[in-house]
Amino acid sequence: MVLKKKKDQQYLISSAVNELGHQFRYSNLLYWAKCKGISPNLIEIELKKLIKKGLLKANIELRCPKCGAHLGDFGNFSEIPEKITCIDCGRKWIKGLDLKDSLEINLATTKKGKKFFRCYYSWDIFTTRRKNIIERALQPIFEREKSKH
């Protein structure tokens, strides 16, 4: 019974990606999971798997703790500079002191992830497939009409 529940919860995480969109904040995912009764530990385990498989990509967004202005996006912690000056309020942001209060983890589906999660198909792809299906269905009718003339 425990294994079944875990499998259901993993499916719910995939549903979350579809519901939250192709780009979402980690905090929004945690809130979604809390509403569904999924533990944060399971979320973390599943996200690591999805990132490792190349279905999701994570980045770090920094915001000024004083005014909330965007300070930058970074692929990992080593890319974050030691000091940043906020262009909106002039506050000096220091990595060692301010990191905890100013970071947000953002996640995005990769091209491979969009196919896996079956979300956000391009309208052009949908239109082309639809057109091809209609043309195949009408092909016999067109051929019969040609043969009559």
Side-chain angles (χ1 to χ4, degrees), residues 36-50:
K36 300 289 184 180
I38 302 172
S39 76
N41 291 339
L42 182 59
I43 294 290
E44 189 175 325
I45 290 167
E46 288 302 307
L47 283 178
K48 285 179 183 177
K49 287 179 188 177
L50 295 171

Side-chain angles (χ1 to χ4, degrees), residues 77-96:
F77 287 104
S78 64
E79 292 178 9
I80 300 172
E82 291 299 318
K83 295 179 181 179
I84 303 172
T85 301
C86 177
I87 58 172
D88 287 355
C89 71
R91 184 184 188 279
K92 300 242 187 273
W93 181 89
I94 301 170
K95 185 176 183 179

Side-chain angles (χ1 to χ4, degrees), residues 20-136:
L20 295 172
H22 67 93
Q23 292 183 333
F24 55 94
R25 293 181 184 271
Y26 180 67
S27 57
N28 292 347
L29 179 62
L30 290 178
Y31 179 76
W32 181 93
K34 182 180 177 182
C35 292
K36 300 289 184 180
I38 302 172
S39 76
N41 291 339
L42 182 59
I43 294 290
E44 189 175 325
I45 290 167
E46 288 302 307
L47 283 178
K48 285 179 183 177
K49 287 179 188 177
L50 295 171
I51 290 169
K52 188 175 181 179
K53 289 180 180 183
L55 302 174
L56 289 176
K57 184 177 191 265
N59 76 351
I60 301 162
E61 177 185 3
L62 293 180
R63 296 214 164 258
C64 176
K66 182 177 178 183
C67 71
H70 182 76
L71 298 176
D73 294 315
F74 305 93
N76 58 53
F77 287 104
S78 64
E79 292 178 9
I80 300 172
E82 291 299 318
K83 295 179 181 179
I84 303 172
T85 301
C86 177
I87 58 172
D88 287 355
C89 71
R91 184 184 188 279
K92 300 242 187 273
W93 181 89
I94 301 170
K95 185 176 183 179
L97 300 173
D98 297 319
L99 185 62
K100 184 177 132 185
D101 298 327
S102 57
L103 89 99
E104 181 70 53
I105 298 172
N106 293 319
L107 297 147
T109 54
T110 62
K111 189 174 182 180
K112 181 180 173 183
K114 287 178 185 177
K115 288 182 181 181
F116 176 80
F117 294 115
R118 299 190 179 271
C119 63
Y120 302 101
Y121 278 114
S122 164
W123 180 253
D124 294 334
I125 292 171
F126 174 76
T127 307
T128 303
R129 286 181 183 168
R130 184 175 169 207
K131 181 181 172 190
N132 290 341
I133 291 169
I134 292 169
E135 284 177 357
R136 280 194 304 253

